[in-house]
Amino acid sequence: MRFGVCCSDTETSVVLGAGFDYVELPANLMVQNHPDYCRFPCKATNLFFPPWIKLIGADATPYRDYVAQLLRCAKEVGIETMVIGSGGSRRAPDDMDRAESMALFVDVVKNIHEMAAETGIVIAPESLNRTETNVANDLRELAESMREIGAGYTADSYHILIEWDATNVGDSAPSEEYWREQIPYCPSHVHIADLPRLSPRPSDYMMEGFANRLRELGFDNKVSLECKRDGNFDFALALSDLKEIFAEN
């Protein structure tokens, strides 16, 4: 298992100096900055689309030329996994049928997955909570859709937890069965943060079921910390905590 941090290019030195294996940088800045990205062990990206690209609805914009250029840069940099979050780009009109908007998003991912096939890069969208977008909020539904088209998917603990919290008021933590439902098979990539979107601690009981489910599935790939932090954030402690959370029982 490798551990990284979703960060900006200005944070790479401190992240790597703390012992993390890689950095996960914004994809939507890579086209103009990819020579800089080549200087770092950047193995994954997030923020796939810039906000001016719209994927669903009457104001949908062309995206294939952007994606083709982005994939060329990503291959040169050595990217292994590209996460598609991009809540603004994939947001559907409020009056659109939910199933229709989901089908349109899956079709976009299918196109990108096919475009990426010859690069060896895994395209791995993530579910996002309802405060960020209105398409693909349920991870299980997204994962099953990705299995049908042969693409990867990202399991993001924060988005799973905030969706769980919105509908399970009074319960102390998601059950083991809930994690099995939400993560139906082994993900391609993982984003991790606790429910307030802070760096998780080993004592955080909300993380136990998430880590157990990944362990149960034999997950042994990249885990990217994606959390809030200030200028005094201790990256070395965060890495130590992550290793303890995912240590074998």
Side-chain angles (χ1 to χ4, degrees), residues 212-225:
N212 285 344
R213 179 55 175 158
L214 294 176
R215 199 176 289 117
E216 183 177 66
L217 290 167
F219 178 84
D220 189 24
N221 209 323
K222 297 185 297 299
V223 176
S224 294
L225 178 64

Side-chain angles (χ1 to χ4, degrees), residues 1 13 18 44 48 51 55 57 70 79 82 85 98 111 114 122 136 145 148 175 178 181 192 194 198 212 226:
M1 191 175 292
S13 296
F48 192 91
L55 303 174
L70 180 60
I79 302 299
M82 302 188 80
R98 180 181 176 280
N111 290 337
E114 291 172 349
V122 175
S145 296
E148 290 179 7
S175 66
Y178 181 83
E181 290 174 356
I192 189 167
D194 67 11
L198 301 177
N212 285 344
E226 186 180 25

Side-chain angles (χ1 to χ4, degrees), residues 7-9 24-34 37 42 44-53 66-67 69-71 73-74 79 82-89:
C7 63
S8 67
D9 58 357
E24 179 171 329
L25 299 177
N28 60 10
L29 301 178
M30 185 181 295
V31 171
Q32 61 264 42
N33 296 328
H34 76 278
Y37 281 40
C42 178
T45 63
N46 51 54
L47 297 173
F48 192 91
F49 285 107
W52 53 264
I53 289 183
Y66 164 81
V67 171
Q69 187 177 12
L70 180 60
L71 289 172
C73 293
I79 302 299
M82 302 188 80
V83 179
I84 301 179
S86 305
S89 291

